[in-house]
Amino acid sequence: MNPTPSSIEPDVDALIRAALGLPAGRKVPLVRADIEQWDSLKHMEIILALEDRFGVMFHEDEFPALDSTAAIAAAVCKHLAA
Amino acid sequence: MRHDLHLTGHAFALRPVAVADAAFIVEVRAQGGRFLNRGAATVAEQRKWIELYFARPGDCYFVVESRRDATPEGLVGIYDIDPQARAAEWGRWVLRPGSPAAVESALLVYRCAFGPLALERVVCRTLADNTRVVAFHDSCGLARAPAPITITQDGQPRAAVEHALDRAGWPAVEARLDRLAQRVAVARGPSA
């Protein structure tokens, strides 16, 4: 059975926090527009870390939309279901 | 400075700015937001600026373009080149909104600086309010100057942050940027 976005959001959240050096465990949704450390270099590092963690591969056209925990979890699930 | 420096990366390349790029420069800088100097407002003004730039020593201005189809993605420059100190500043960096060329264009700028230009040190000065670009330079692993500096934007003094990279620090930065630039190229598909 494929995971659901809500089931992988904690993993995605932890991965983004680790990449950006943010404190772990806070219940605040992560949104790129609100986090200045989430620059274009960190964005690529997050994408690589996601691909390693979940065994998926994103296309360039998807990169800009991977801009929050929720959007990333949904995109990962879409790839896993394909 | 009419230079002939071409830098080719995995997905993007740098080529010298030409007078024919004036319309693109005006367009992309107009999209660049509040952190850029106002610069030329019309294509005719931009053409004049480019002609003056050609006569100015120590200034290399580039178009960032896609290797896939030569689409221009943005602009970047290395300027105030000091041949004695073997140092320069890089900037004038602007990309089309949503362009994935940020990492590789920075990589190619440094490759140009420490390769063909044989510089020993490059600095970049970013308005302190431009937090995303300040963060980008931090993320690259560049050293921040200990104290804030002041730069002029449209004639007004503004607080800024200076980052520097010297030749000794370049290999580590290159490795970091190159890994990410390769991944962008894979996601982008074959280049021409």
PDB file of all heavy atoms in Angstrom, chain B residues 133-162:
ATOM      1  N   VAL B 133      19.332  35.908  -0.873  1.00  0.00           N
ATOM      2  CA  VAL B 133      20.640  35.847  -1.539  1.00  0.00           C
ATOM      3  C   VAL B 133      21.769  35.813  -0.498  1.00  0.00           C
ATOM      4  O   VAL B 133      22.758  35.096  -0.673  1.00  0.00           O
ATOM      5  CB  VAL B 133      20.815  37.002  -2.546  1.00  0.00           C
ATOM      6  CG1 VAL B 133      22.239  37.034  -3.095  1.00  0.00           C
ATOM      7  CG2 VAL B 133      19.826  36.834  -3.695  1.00  0.00           C
ATOM      8  N   VAL B 134      21.598  36.543   0.593  1.00  0.00           N
ATOM      9  CA  VAL B 134      22.580  36.436   1.681  1.00  0.00           C
ATOM     10  C   VAL B 134      22.652  34.978   2.146  1.00  0.00           C
ATOM     11  O   VAL B 134      23.740  34.406   2.318  1.00  0.00           O
ATOM     12  CB  VAL B 134      22.203  37.366   2.855  1.00  0.00           C
ATOM     13  CG1 VAL B 134      23.094  37.079   4.074  1.00  0.00           C
ATOM     14  CG2 VAL B 134      22.337  38.832   2.446  1.00  0.00           C
ATOM     15  N   ALA B 135      21.487  34.347   2.301  1.00  0.00           N
ATOM     16  CA  ALA B 135      21.454  32.938   2.730  1.00  0.00           C
ATOM     17  C   ALA B 135      22.114  32.037   1.690  1.00  0.00           C
ATOM     18  O   ALA B 135      22.799  31.066   2.042  1.00  0.00           O
ATOM     19  CB  ALA B 135      20.014  32.504   2.968  1.00  0.00           C
ATOM     20  N   PHE B 136      21.907  32.357   0.405  1.00  0.00           N
ATOM     21  CA  PHE B 136      22.525  31.546  -0.655  1.00  0.00           C
ATOM     22  C   PHE B 136      24.049  31.554  -0.499  1.00  0.00           C
ATOM     23  O   PHE B 136      24.691  30.493  -0.558  1.00  0.00           O
ATOM     24  CB  PHE B 136      22.132  32.085  -2.029  1.00  0.00           C
ATOM     25  CG  PHE B 136      22.755  31.342  -3.180  1.00  0.00           C
ATOM     26  CD1 PHE B 136      22.113  30.257  -3.751  1.00  0.00           C
ATOM     27  CD2 PHE B 136      23.993  31.709  -3.681  1.00  0.00           C
ATOM     28  CE1 PHE B 136      22.694  29.550  -4.803  1.00  0.00           C
ATOM     29  CE2 PHE B 136      24.585  31.014  -4.735  1.00  0.00           C
ATOM     30  CZ  PHE B 136      23.928  29.940  -5.293  1.00  0.00           C
ATOM     31  N   HIS B 137      24.625  32.728  -0.314  1.00  0.00           N
ATOM     32  CA  HIS B 137      26.086  32.803  -0.183  1.00  0.00           C
ATOM     33  C   HIS B 137      26.559  32.081   1.090  1.00  0.00           C
ATOM     34  O   HIS B 137      27.596  31.416   1.074  1.00  0.00           O
ATOM     35  CB  HIS B 137      26.553  34.257  -0.192  1.00  0.00           C
ATOM     36  CG  HIS B 137      26.304  34.964  -1.489  1.00  0.00           C
ATOM     37  ND1 HIS B 137      26.660  34.437  -2.701  1.00  0.00           N
ATOM     38  CD2 HIS B 137      25.723  36.160  -1.769  1.00  0.00           C
ATOM     39  CE1 HIS B 137      26.310  35.274  -3.677  1.00  0.00           C
ATOM     40  NE2 HIS B 137      25.739  36.322  -3.129  1.00  0.00           N
ATOM     41  N   ASP B 138      25.785  32.214   2.166  1.00  0.00           N
ATOM     42  CA  ASP B 138      26.110  31.444   3.378  1.00  0.00           C
ATOM     43  C   ASP B 138      26.088  29.948   3.070  1.00  0.00           C
ATOM     44  O   ASP B 138      26.980  29.201   3.474  1.00  0.00           O
ATOM     45  CB  ASP B 138      25.091  31.726   4.493  1.00  0.00           C
ATOM     46  CG  ASP B 138      25.231  33.108   5.114  1.00  0.00           C
ATOM     47  OD1 ASP B 138      26.311  33.718   4.999  1.00  0.00           O
ATOM     48  OD2 ASP B 138      24.236  33.576   5.722  1.00  0.00           O
ATOM     49  N   SER B 139      25.049  29.527   2.355  1.00  0.00           N
ATOM     50  CA  SER B 139      24.885  28.094   2.061  1.00  0.00           C
ATOM     51  C   SER B 139      26.004  27.561   1.174  1.00  0.00           C
ATOM     52  O   SER B 139      26.359  26.384   1.254  1.00  0.00           O
ATOM     53  CB  SER B 139      23.538  27.837   1.381  1.00  0.00           C
ATOM     54  OG  SER B 139      22.470  28.177   2.234  1.00  0.00           O
ATOM     55  N   CYS B 140      26.539  28.420   0.326  1.00  0.00           N
ATOM     56  CA  CYS B 140      27.677  28.004  -0.518  1.00  0.00           C
ATOM     57  C   CYS B 140      28.904  27.695   0.327  1.00  0.00           C
ATOM     58  O   CYS B 140      29.812  27.003  -0.125  1.00  0.00           O
ATOM     59  CB  CYS B 140      28.045  29.115  -1.503  1.00  0.00           C
ATOM     60  SG  CYS B 140      26.892  29.309  -2.871  1.00  0.00           S
ATOM     61  N   GLY B 141      28.949  28.235   1.533  1.00  0.00           N
ATOM     62  CA  GLY B 141      30.107  28.047   2.394  1.00  0.00           C
ATOM     63  C   GLY B 141      31.072  29.209   2.361  1.00  0.00           C
ATOM     64  O   GLY B 141      32.216  29.086   2.809  1.00  0.00           O
ATOM     65  N   LEU B 142      30.635  30.349   1.850  1.00  0.00           N
ATOM     66  CA  LEU B 142      31.504  31.527   1.808  1.00  0.00           C
ATOM     67  C   LEU B 142      31.628  32.157   3.193  1.00  0.00           C
ATOM     68  O   LEU B 142      30.698  32.086   4.002  1.00  0.00           O
ATOM     69  CB  LEU B 142      30.935  32.571   0.838  1.00  0.00           C
ATOM     70  CG  LEU B 142      31.398  32.452  -0.618  1.00  0.00           C
ATOM     71  CD1 LEU B 142      31.001  31.130  -1.220  1.00  0.00           C
ATOM     72  CD2 LEU B 142      30.856  33.608  -1.450  1.00  0.00           C
ATOM     73  N   ALA B 143      32.762  32.803   3.398  1.00  0.00           N
ATOM     74  CA  ALA B 143      32.984  33.499   4.668  1.00  0.00           C
ATOM     75  C   ALA B 143      32.305  34.868   4.617  1.00  0.00           C
ATOM     76  O   ALA B 143      32.421  35.587   3.628  1.00  0.00           O
ATOM     77  CB  ALA B 143      34.478  33.673   4.892  1.00  0.00           C
ATOM     78  N   ARG B 144      31.583  35.187   5.675  1.00  0.00           N
ATOM     79  CA  ARG B 144      30.973  36.517   5.798  1.00  0.00           C
ATOM     80  C   ARG B 144      31.965  37.468   6.436  1.00  0.00           C
ATOM     81  O   ARG B 144      32.640  37.099   7.408  1.00  0.00           O
ATOM     82  CB  ARG B 144      29.779  36.454   6.742  1.00  0.00           C
ATOM     83  CG  ARG B 144      28.455  36.399   6.082  1.00  0.00           C
ATOM     84  CD  ARG B 144      27.406  36.826   7.118  1.00  0.00           C
ATOM     85  NE  ARG B 144      26.166  36.128   6.896  1.00  0.00           N
ATOM     86  CZ  ARG B 144      24.992  36.623   7.262  1.00  0.00           C
ATOM     87  NH1 ARG B 144      24.907  37.792   7.871  1.00  0.00           N
ATOM     88  NH2 ARG B 144      23.896  35.939   7.046  1.00  0.00           N
ATOM     89  N   ALA B 145      32.037  38.691   5.944  1.00  0.00           N
ATOM     90  CA  ALA B 145      32.844  39.710   6.624  1.00  0.00           C
ATOM     91  C   ALA B 145      32.269  39.924   8.017  1.00  0.00           C
ATOM     92  O   ALA B 145      31.044  39.894   8.189  1.00  0.00           O
ATOM     93  CB  ALA B 145      32.830  41.004   5.827  1.00  0.00           C
ATOM     94  N   PRO B 146      33.124  40.129   9.010  1.00  0.00           N
ATOM     95  CA  PRO B 146      32.632  40.202  10.386  1.00  0.00           C
ATOM     96  C   PRO B 146      31.694  41.379  10.644  1.00  0.00           C
ATOM     97  O   PRO B 146      30.800  41.277  11.482  1.00  0.00           O
ATOM     98  CB  PRO B 146      33.908  40.326  11.222  1.00  0.00           C
ATOM     99  CG  PRO B 146      34.992  40.682  10.267  1.00  0.00           C
ATOM    100  CD  PRO B 146      34.585  40.208   8.917  1.00  0.00           C
ATOM    101  N   ALA B 147      31.887  42.474   9.923  1.00  0.00           N
ATOM    102  CA  ALA B 147      31.044  43.647  10.178  1.00  0.00           C
ATOM    103  C   ALA B 147      30.207  43.958   8.943  1.00  0.00           C
ATOM    104  O   ALA B 147      30.654  43.737   7.820  1.00  0.00           O
ATOM    105  CB  ALA B 147      31.923  44.842  10.520  1.00  0.00           C
ATOM    106  N   PRO B 148      28.990  44.464   9.143  1.00  0.00           N
ATOM    107  CA  PRO B 148      28.198  44.867   7.982  1.00  0.00           C
ATOM    108  C   PRO B 148      28.886  46.016   7.246  1.00  0.00           C
ATOM    109  O   PRO B 148      29.679  46.756   7.837  1.00  0.00           O
ATOM    110  CB  PRO B 148      26.867  45.316   8.583  1.00  0.00           C
ATOM    111  CG  PRO B 148      27.061  45.405  10.048  1.00  0.00           C
ATOM    112  CD  PRO B 148      28.314  44.704  10.414  1.00  0.00           C
ATOM    113  N   ILE B 149      28.594  46.142   5.987  1.00  0.00           N
ATOM    114  CA  ILE B 149      29.170  47.211   5.186  1.00  0.00           C
ATOM    115  C   ILE B 149      28.032  48.069   4.640  1.00  0.00           C
ATOM    116  O   ILE B 149      26.857  47.747   4.819  1.00  0.00           O
ATOM    117  CB  ILE B 149      30.027  46.658   4.027  1.00  0.00           C
ATOM    118  CG1 ILE B 149      29.156  45.790   3.091  1.00  0.00           C
ATOM    119  CG2 ILE B 149      31.205  45.867   4.545  1.00  0.00           C
ATOM    120  CD1 ILE B 149      29.814  45.512   1.764  1.00  0.00           C
ATOM    121  N   THR B 150      28.398  49.145   3.962  1.00  0.00           N
ATOM    122  CA  THR B 150      27.400  49.998   3.316  1.00  0.00           C
ATOM    123  C   THR B 150      27.708  50.040   1.827  1.00  0.00           C
ATOM    124  O   THR B 150      28.868  50.225   1.440  1.00  0.00           O
ATOM    125  CB  THR B 150      27.447  51.424   3.908  1.00  0.00           C
ATOM    126  OG1 THR B 150      27.186  51.339   5.310  1.00  0.00           O
ATOM    127  CG2 THR B 150      26.408  52.314   3.252  1.00  0.00           C
ATOM    128  N   ILE B 151      26.689  49.837   1.017  1.00  0.00           N
ATOM    129  CA  ILE B 151      26.848  50.003  -0.430  1.00  0.00           C
ATOM    130  C   ILE B 151      25.807  51.009  -0.908  1.00  0.00           C
ATOM    131  O   ILE B 151      24.887  51.372  -0.163  1.00  0.00           O
ATOM    132  CB  ILE B 151      26.731  48.669  -1.200  1.00  0.00           C
ATOM    133  CG1 ILE B 151      25.359  48.018  -0.990  1.00  0.00           C
ATOM    134  CG2 ILE B 151      27.839  47.721  -0.799  1.00  0.00           C
ATOM    135  CD1 ILE B 151      25.159  46.747  -1.828  1.00  0.00           C
ATOM    136  N   THR B 152      25.991  51.462  -2.122  1.00  0.00           N
ATOM    137  CA  THR B 152      25.081  52.469  -2.662  1.00  0.00           C
ATOM    138  C   THR B 152      24.119  51.813  -3.639  1.00  0.00           C
ATOM    139  O   THR B 152      24.536  51.093  -4.543  1.00  0.00           O
ATOM    140  CB  THR B 152      25.891  53.560  -3.385  1.00  0.00           C
ATOM    141  OG1 THR B 152      26.802  54.121  -2.442  1.00  0.00           O
ATOM    142  CG2 THR B 152      24.980  54.651  -3.916  1.00  0.00           C
ATOM    143  N   GLN B 153      22.835  52.049  -3.428  1.00  0.00           N
ATOM    144  CA  GLN B 153      21.822  51.597  -4.374  1.00  0.00           C
ATOM    145  C   GLN B 153      21.046  52.814  -4.842  1.00  0.00           C
ATOM    146  O   GLN B 153      20.444  53.520  -4.028  1.00  0.00           O
ATOM    147  CB  GLN B 153      20.864  50.579  -3.728  1.00  0.00           C
ATOM    148  CG  GLN B 153      19.871  50.029  -4.752  1.00  0.00           C
ATOM    149  CD  GLN B 153      18.733  49.233  -4.129  1.00  0.00           C
ATOM    150  OE1 GLN B 153      18.349  49.492  -2.995  1.00  0.00           O
ATOM    151  NE2 GLN B 153      18.193  48.291  -4.872  1.00  0.00           N
ATOM    152  N   ASP B 154      21.090  53.057  -6.134  1.00  0.00           N
ATOM    153  CA  ASP B 154      20.423  54.216  -6.711  1.00  0.00           C
ATOM    154  C   ASP B 154      20.767  55.494  -5.949  1.00  0.00           C
ATOM    155  O   ASP B 154      19.898  56.318  -5.652  1.00  0.00           O
ATOM    156  CB  ASP B 154      18.903  53.998  -6.751  1.00  0.00           C
ATOM    157  CG  ASP B 154      18.522  52.839  -7.670  1.00  0.00           C
ATOM    158  OD1 ASP B 154      19.217  52.631  -8.685  1.00  0.00           O
ATOM    159  OD2 ASP B 154      17.551  52.139  -7.361  1.00  0.00           O
ATOM    160  N   GLY B 155      22.053  55.608  -5.586  1.00  0.00           N
ATOM    161  CA  GLY B 155      22.537  56.819  -4.937  1.00  0.00           C
ATOM    162  C   GLY B 155      22.320  56.877  -3.440  1.00  0.00           C
ATOM    163  O   GLY B 155      22.758  57.834  -2.793  1.00  0.00           O
ATOM    164  N   GLN B 156      21.669  55.865  -2.888  1.00  0.00           N
ATOM    165  CA  GLN B 156      21.384  55.879  -1.454  1.00  0.00           C
ATOM    166  C   GLN B 156      22.239  54.840  -0.726  1.00  0.00           C
ATOM    167  O   GLN B 156      22.367  53.710  -1.196  1.00  0.00           O
ATOM    168  CB  GLN B 156      19.903  55.532  -1.198  1.00  0.00           C
ATOM    169  CG  GLN B 156      18.917  56.510  -1.820  1.00  0.00           C
ATOM    170  CD  GLN B 156      19.076  57.917  -1.242  1.00  0.00           C
ATOM    171  OE1 GLN B 156      19.172  58.103  -0.028  1.00  0.00           O
ATOM    172  NE2 GLN B 156      19.117  58.906  -2.129  1.00  0.00           N
ATOM    173  N   PRO B 157      22.817  55.221   0.433  1.00  0.00           N
ATOM    174  CA  PRO B 157      23.580  54.231   1.204  1.00  0.00           C
ATOM    175  C   PRO B 157      22.651  53.169   1.791  1.00  0.00           C
ATOM    176  O   PRO B 157      21.595  53.502   2.336  1.00  0.00           O
ATOM    177  CB  PRO B 157      24.243  55.062   2.306  1.00  0.00           C
ATOM    178  CG  PRO B 157      23.406  56.287   2.427  1.00  0.00           C
ATOM    179  CD  PRO B 157      22.774  56.538   1.088  1.00  0.00           C
ATOM    180  N   ARG B 158      23.069  51.917   1.654  1.00  0.00           N
ATOM    181  CA  ARG B 158      22.232  50.813   2.166  1.00  0.00           C
ATOM    182  C   ARG B 158      23.114  49.811   2.887  1.00  0.00           C
ATOM    183  O   ARG B 158      24.238  49.530   2.467  1.00  0.00           O
ATOM    184  CB  ARG B 158      21.528  50.090   1.001  1.00  0.00           C
ATOM    185  CG  ARG B 158      20.606  50.957   0.142  1.00  0.00           C
ATOM    186  CD  ARG B 158      19.229  51.110   0.775  1.00  0.00           C
ATOM    187  NE  ARG B 158      18.645  49.850   1.160  1.00  0.00           N
ATOM    188  CZ  ARG B 158      17.917  49.076   0.342  1.00  0.00           C
ATOM    189  NH1 ARG B 158      17.719  49.443  -0.899  1.00  0.00           N
ATOM    190  NH2 ARG B 158      17.408  47.950   0.777  1.00  0.00           N
ATOM    191  N   ALA B 159      22.584  49.231   3.962  1.00  0.00           N
ATOM    192  CA  ALA B 159      23.314  48.189   4.699  1.00  0.00           C
ATOM    193  C   ALA B 159      23.455  46.951   3.831  1.00  0.00           C
ATOM    194  O   ALA B 159      22.519  46.557   3.119  1.00  0.00           O
ATOM    195  CB  ALA B 159      22.565  47.849   5.976  1.00  0.00           C
ATOM    196  N   ALA B 160      24.633  46.344   3.877  1.00  0.00           N
ATOM    197  CA  ALA B 160      24.905  45.180   3.034  1.00  0.00           C
ATOM    198  C   ALA B 160      25.768  44.174   3.786  1.00  0.00           C
ATOM    199  O   ALA B 160      26.322  44.470   4.852  1.00  0.00           O
ATOM    200  CB  ALA B 160      25.603  45.616   1.752  1.00  0.00           C
ATOM    201  N   VAL B 161      25.841  42.994   3.211  1.00  0.00           N
ATOM    202  CA  VAL B 161      26.657  41.909   3.767  1.00  0.00           C
ATOM    203  C   VAL B 161      27.691  41.527   2.711  1.00  0.00           C
ATOM    204  O   VAL B 161      27.347  41.384   1.535  1.00  0.00           O
ATOM    205  CB  VAL B 161      25.782  40.683   4.098  1.00  0.00           C
ATOM    206  CG1 VAL B 161      26.645  39.519   4.593  1.00  0.00           C
ATOM    207  CG2 VAL B 161      24.714  41.046   5.121  1.00  0.00           C
ATOM    208  N   GLU B 162      28.942  41.408   3.137  1.00  0.00           N
ATOM    209  CA  GLU B 162      29.993  41.011   2.193  1.00  0.00           C
ATOM    210  C   GLU B 162      30.414  39.570   2.468  1.00  0.00           C
ATOM    211  O   GLU B 162      30.681  39.198   3.607  1.00  0.00           O
ATOM    212  CB  GLU B 162      31.210  41.928   2.322  1.00  0.00           C
ATOM    213  CG  GLU B 162      32.323  41.567   1.341  1.00  0.00           C
ATOM    214  CD  GLU B 162      33.478  42.558   1.400  1.00  0.00           C
ATOM    215  OE1 GLU B 162      33.350  43.647   0.808  1.00  0.00           O
ATOM    216  OE2 GLU B 162      34.493  42.228   2.044  1.00  0.00           O
TER     217      GLU B 162
END
